[in-house]
Amino acid sequence: MIKTELGTLRRSHYSNELNPSMDGLEVTIMGWVLTIRGHGNISFATIRDKNGDIPIVAKKGDCPDELREKLSILKAHSSIAITGRIKSSEKAPTGFEIIPSELRVFSDVEKIPPFEPLAKTVKNIDTRLEVRPIDLRRKTLQHIFNARSQVLKSIRDYFYQQNFIEINTPKMIATATEGGAALFPIFYYNKEAFLAQSPQLYKEQLIMSFEKVFEIAPIFRAEPSRTNRHLAEAISVDLEEAFVDYNDVMNRIEDIIKIAIVTVSDYAKNNSDVEFIIPSKPEHIPRYSYDELIEKMQKAGAKTEWGDDLYPSNLKKIGVEGFYFIKDWPLGPKPFYVKDSKTNPKISESFDLMFGDLELSSGSTRIEKRHELEERMKNKGMKTDAFEYHLGAFDYGVPPHAGCGIGLERLIMALTGTENIRDVTFYPRDVDRLTP
């Protein structure tokens, strides 16, 4: 009647597979205890599995006394299985309840979490992160990560439909991908190596063989930023394509954004308790040049000059909102592989995708000629010898190409109205956090 081992017992149904029309059917459900309430000779429990909640009613005379007594003293988060029969009930939120006949308690709770499992919000995110597996049981986060999973699937489906091939590139590298100091050094046997800032150089090489490639994988940036939108380890959706330029890549991103919005909207429609703030799907994502925005900022009274970064405070002053591209940035600060404009050598064929003042993506047309790459690297004070493995590929005919990286976590923030990037990351890594 009450056991503690799984044995041969297996779940017969998930919560979303049960309904009142199954009245009288014996089922086995598994999950963890969400709530327990006792009223004399009757105990009410709610069991949550990956798909939802299941009401349990243990009443004297309807189920064994031993089972009812054990159920009544279980703590929230206990992991259990219940076998019982479905009974339709107009009073139950689901339209039915389960009358238990067998209980298995796989694990009793040793500690009480520092927040309620039903809480929609818990102010101290560090408290939540310390018990992240329990935090992720809350409905708010369940919806975020289920929607995130659906978005990833829709993005992958788009790439496969467009004849891209999925790649995997090394995350331990010998030299900096983009130069600069934002690197995590590691010991690689008896030599120094680095965690990859991006798959940039590898995906450029791979378009020589496959033309259209994408990767969804971690990137590592050692930036000392303590904001609600920066991570040291993030997931990047990278694409690279041969025989196109940055305009074609912006078209790709526009497709992806529209697909992602539809995906999240559909998820919300199928889950009535979702509280996402979902942006409306744009017919077309506006494309502003860097020069155009600088001029608008100056007219709005912002202290900015050509060559300055476009700071969030200044973007707010000119009222740009929703999704939009900023293109044709000054070439100077851009990575060595970004191509310059045919009409103005001080301008790059590059873009950022923004959502309000939040940067979601960065991309460009790439340089396809070795001598131009070497000249750019030298101008940036980089040692070309350290990149010979990459430069050597350009001796064999690299086609014109372009690509970008999209920050998955920031995209999910934009799609769901989430303010803190840690709430769209399973286990965040930042300046202050290396655990759990």
Side-chain angles (χ1 to χ4, degrees), residues 152 155 159 203 214-217 235-239 256 404-408 411:
L152 278 173
I155 290 173
F159 282 129
K203 63 178 183 171
F214 80 96
E215 180 173 28
I216 302 175
I235 301 297
S236 181
V237 179
D238 273 271
L239 71 94
I256 289 169
C404 72
I406 304 170
L408 177 65
L411 175 60

Side-chain angles (χ1 to χ4, degrees), residues 11 15 29-36 45-56 71 74-82 103-109 113 115-119 132-139 142:
R11 170 194 279 125
S15 55
I29 58 100
M30 297 181 180
W32 55 276
V33 176
L34 185 64
T35 61
I36 292 281
T46 303
I47 309 305
R48 176 168 288 179
D49 65 17
K50 69 186 290 291
N51 294 330
D53 300 341
I54 307 165
I56 310 296
L71 185 66
L74 288 177
K75 295 184 177 69
H77 300 289
S78 298
S79 174
I80 71 171
I82 282 180
L103 169 65
R104 297 203 186 189
V105 181
F106 301 126
S107 60
D108 275 316
V109 168
F115 50 83
E116 290 295 323
L118 289 173
R132 190 59 161 171
I134 305 304
D135 185 33
L136 291 171
R137 286 176 172 173
R138 294 189 304 116
K139 273 285 188 180
Q142 289 264 306

Side-chain angles (χ1 to χ4, degrees), residues 315-356:
L315 288 169
K316 288 180 180 178
K317 285 182 179 179
I318 59 175
V320 285
E321 56 186 22
F323 294 100
Y324 61 97
F325 290 103
I326 305 173
K327 63 187 186 76
D328 303 332
W329 287 80
L331 182 63
K334 290 295 177 181
F336 68 90
Y337 50 80
V338 173
K339 196 178 185 77
D340 60 340
S341 169
K342 301 177 184 64
T343 58
N344 185 344
K346 292 183 178 181
I347 297 294
S348 63
E349 289 192 0
S350 66
F351 65 84
D352 288 348
L353 172 69
M354 307 293 294
F355 181 73

Side-chain angles (χ1 to χ4, degrees), residues 207-254:
I207 56 97
M208 295 175 65
S209 305
F210 301 104
E211 292 196 23
K212 301 161 80 170
V213 300
F214 80 96
E215 180 173 28
I216 302 175
I219 59 170
F220 305 88
R221 301 287 173 100
E223 297 172 345
S225 300
R226 287 181 171 87
T227 75
N228 64 0
R229 54 181 61 180
H230 284 89
L231 292 171
E233 178 183 357
I235 301 297
S236 181
V237 179
D238 273 271
L239 71 94
E240 203 76 17
E241 187 170 357
F243 306 109
V244 300
D245 67 12
Y246 72 141
N247 293 299
D248 301 286
V249 175
M250 282 188 275
N251 292 339
R252 291 270 184 222
I253 292 178
E254 188 167 310

Side-chain angles (χ1 to χ4, degrees), residues 256-270:
I256 289 169
I257 293 299
K258 290 177 179 177
I259 289 168
I261 291 173
V262 169
T263 300
V264 175
S265 298
D266 288 345
Y267 178 84
K269 288 175 185 175
N270 293 325

Side-chain angles (χ1 to χ4, degrees), residues 76-239:
H77 300 289
S78 298
S79 174
I80 71 171
I82 282 180
T83 297
R85 60 181 174 82
I86 294 178
K87 180 182 178 182
S88 60
S89 170
E90 294 181 359
K91 294 180 180 179
T94 55
F96 69 88
E97 54 200 25
I98 292 180
I99 310 301
S101 57
E102 183 180 343
L103 169 65
R104 297 203 186 189
V105 181
F106 301 126
S107 60
D108 275 316
V109 168
E110 301 286 335
K111 290 184 178 180
I112 302 299
F115 50 83
E116 290 295 323
L118 289 173
K120 286 187 177 180
T121 59
V122 180
K123 290 183 179 180
N124 192 329
I125 191 169
D126 288 317
T127 299
R128 294 195 284 109
L129 290 174
E130 289 301 321
V131 283
R132 190 59 161 171
I134 305 304
D135 185 33
L136 291 171
R137 286 176 172 173
R138 294 189 304 116
K139 273 285 188 180
T140 304
L141 295 184
Q142 289 264 306
H143 285 315
I144 287 174
F145 286 99
N146 282 325
R148 175 188 184 274
S149 179
Q150 291 298 310
V151 169
L152 278 173
K153 181 182 183 300
S154 68
I155 290 173
R156 275 196 168 90
D157 288 345
Y158 169 79
F159 282 129
Y160 286 122
Q161 289 163 7
Q162 297 296 316
N163 296 313
F164 280 73
I165 182 173
E166 185 165 6
I167 60 172
N168 299 106
T169 60
K171 301 308 165 201
M172 296 183 290
I173 58 175
T175 54
T177 305
E178 301 175 6
L183 292 162
F184 286 110
I186 59 172
F187 290 111
Y188 187 74
Y189 298 104
N190 64 342
K191 60 186 77 170
E192 185 181 52
F194 304 95
L195 295 177
Q197 295 166 298
S198 83
Q200 182 59 43
L201 306 188
Y202 294 105
K203 63 178 183 171
E204 285 193 66
Q205 295 173 27
L206 288 169
I207 56 97
M208 295 175 65
S209 305
F210 301 104
E211 292 196 23
K212 301 161 80 170
V213 300
F214 80 96
E215 180 173 28
I216 302 175
I219 59 170
F220 305 88
R221 301 287 173 100
E223 297 172 345
S225 300
R226 287 181 171 87
T227 75
N228 64 0
R229 54 181 61 180
H230 284 89
L231 292 171
E233 178 183 357
I235 301 297
S236 181
V237 179
D238 273 271
L239 71 94

